[in-house]
Amino acid sequence: MNIKNAQKEVDNWIKEHGVRYFNELTNMAQLTEEVGEVARIIARRYGEQSEKESDKNKDLGEELSDVLFVVMCLANQTGIDLQDAFDKKLDLKTKRDHNRHHNNEKLK
């Protein structure tokens, strides 16, 4: 599924299962909360913090999907075509950063 189709799926889900989109500020707060849950898993599973017993069964993929869902909600409510925006960003990064990382001594 491409991003455009995923955005449509999110919109259909909201129409079928939700009452309406939460307002943009509420969704921004939700996004912050979801990113925080991702950060907690990463910090404890891959970082230097010890993982609490209650965190060991947390699913990183599920939490990342929560982030994507809320991002798509925000894009839908603000009229952003994420497929187009992503394609443009990837093209820009490709042109701008093609040699940048290859020449970074810190990455060798």
PDB file of all heavy atoms in Angstrom, residues 16 31 34 98:
ATOM      1  N   GLU A  16     -15.976   5.575   9.260  1.00  0.00           N
ATOM      2  CA  GLU A  16     -16.732   4.382   9.621  1.00  0.00           C
ATOM      3  C   GLU A  16     -16.729   4.087  11.123  1.00  0.00           C
ATOM      4  O   GLU A  16     -17.711   3.581  11.659  1.00  0.00           O
ATOM      5  CB  GLU A  16     -16.169   3.161   8.880  1.00  0.00           C
ATOM      6  CG  GLU A  16     -16.423   3.186   7.395  1.00  0.00           C
ATOM      7  CD  GLU A  16     -15.815   1.987   6.679  1.00  0.00           C
ATOM      8  OE1 GLU A  16     -15.645   0.923   7.309  1.00  0.00           O
ATOM      9  OE2 GLU A  16     -15.497   2.135   5.482  1.00  0.00           O
ATOM     10  N   LEU A  31       0.027  12.896  18.894  1.00  0.00           N
ATOM     11  CA  LEU A  31       1.267  12.557  18.192  1.00  0.00           C
ATOM     12  C   LEU A  31       2.451  12.624  19.145  1.00  0.00           C
ATOM     13  O   LEU A  31       3.304  11.729  19.155  1.00  0.00           O
ATOM     14  CB  LEU A  31       1.480  13.492  16.998  1.00  0.00           C
ATOM     15  CG  LEU A  31       2.751  13.283  16.191  1.00  0.00           C
ATOM     16  CD1 LEU A  31       2.805  11.865  15.606  1.00  0.00           C
ATOM     17  CD2 LEU A  31       2.850  14.325  15.082  1.00  0.00           C
ATOM     18  N   GLU A  34       2.383   9.582  21.358  1.00  0.00           N
ATOM     19  CA  GLU A  34       2.785   8.360  20.654  1.00  0.00           C
ATOM     20  C   GLU A  34       4.296   8.342  20.395  1.00  0.00           C
ATOM     21  O   GLU A  34       4.943   7.303  20.541  1.00  0.00           O
ATOM     22  CB  GLU A  34       2.009   8.204  19.341  1.00  0.00           C
ATOM     23  CG  GLU A  34       0.503   8.052  19.499  1.00  0.00           C
ATOM     24  CD  GLU A  34       0.067   6.847  20.312  1.00  0.00           C
ATOM     25  OE1 GLU A  34       0.894   5.948  20.601  1.00  0.00           O
ATOM     26  OE2 GLU A  34      -1.123   6.791  20.676  1.00  0.00           O
ATOM     27  N   HIS A  98      23.515  13.214  -1.419  1.00  0.00           N
ATOM     28  CA  HIS A  98      24.068  12.061  -2.124  1.00  0.00           C
ATOM     29  C   HIS A  98      25.471  11.697  -1.646  1.00  0.00           C
ATOM     30  O   HIS A  98      25.755  10.538  -1.352  1.00  0.00           O
ATOM     31  CB  HIS A  98      24.069  12.303  -3.636  1.00  0.00           C
ATOM     32  CG  HIS A  98      24.661  11.166  -4.402  1.00  0.00           C
ATOM     33  ND1 HIS A  98      24.012   9.948  -4.526  1.00  0.00           N
ATOM     34  CD2 HIS A  98      25.837  11.041  -5.050  1.00  0.00           C
ATOM     35  CE1 HIS A  98      24.778   9.125  -5.221  1.00  0.00           C
ATOM     36  NE2 HIS A  98      25.888   9.758  -5.560  1.00  0.00           N
TER      37      HIS A  98
END
